[in-house]
Amino acid sequence: MKVSTARRKTGSWWGRHGILYSAAIALIGFETAIWLWWAAMDIGVRLGVWAREGAGMDAYAFIASLHWTQEVFFFSGLVLILLTMFLLLMRSRFALVSYLGAFAADKVDWFLANENPYYQVLLTGQAPVSSYVTLFGQILSIGLVGWLAARGALK
């Protein structure tokens, strides 16, 4: 039985970098879902439709404690992470640039959040672990998208 030349050239139906591409989609997709959840809560609170204790915390007090500069960085990062998912699905190498922008916006948002006393109380006991896991996932995502861009898997 003869294997088709297209399959032989790529190594599999996924392509040469299919597993890495899928891992990048999964990691950045999960991060995008988290950003969308926080945005839904933020907008829901501002519209008055979010349950006060809906996420195991007083969402209204938390959103009221945010400074406008933190909100600007958060929503800028949200736009950039959505753009990153779109560009990654389109296999564009510009996904790396937009993800680096989303990463930077997230780190500024995180830095500003750490100055917020309500945020400190909200994450007591879990902040170090969740922050390090998130940071590791983001660095891994940067590495994956960078690798894919450098190897020509993203055009």
Side-chain angles (χ1 to χ4, degrees):
M1 180 173 191
K2 184 174 175 154
V3 177
S4 75
T5 56
R7 189 173 200 173
R8 201 173 327 140
K9 286 180 185 175
T10 60
S12 75
W13 63 274
W14 254 351
R16 286 188 331 165
H17 306 290
I19 292 174
L20 297 178
Y21 178 73
S22 297
I25 292 286
L27 281 170
I28 294 174
F30 181 70
E31 187 177 352
T32 302
I34 292 169
W35 280 76
L36 287 170
W37 184 87
W38 280 102
M41 182 181 70
D42 192 314
I43 294 168
V45 164
R46 294 190 187 284
L47 294 175
V49 296
W50 192 267
R52 185 163 288 280
E53 299 290 332
M57 64 177 188
D58 186 355
Y60 286 82
F62 174 67
I63 297 300
S65 71
L66 300 177
H67 193 269
W68 69 269
T69 54
Q70 184 176 352
E71 293 284 68
V72 167
F73 280 105
F74 172 75
F75 282 105
S76 297
L78 175 65
V79 168
L80 287 168
I81 197 76
L82 290 171
L83 178 63
T84 299
M85 268 310 290
F86 174 76
L87 292 172
L88 199 54
L89 291 171
M90 296 291 107
R91 293 187 180 255
S92 171
R93 68 175 180 262
F94 295 110
L96 179 61
V97 175
S98 66
Y99 189 70
L100 288 172
F103 176 77
D106 179 56
K107 293 305 125 199
V108 171
D109 175 47
W110 178 81
F111 179 74
L112 294 172
N114 281 318
E115 299 298 318
N116 182 335
Y118 185 80
Y119 188 74
Q120 291 296 326
V121 171
L122 174 70
L123 294 179
T124 300
Q126 71 180 11
V129 173
S130 64
S131 294
Y132 292 137
V133 169
T134 301
L135 181 61
F136 177 75
Q138 289 171 328
I139 291 171
L140 185 59
S141 295
I142 290 169
L144 283 170
V145 176
W147 176 271
L148 291 168
R151 298 293 181 188
L154 303 178
K155 306 289 182 219

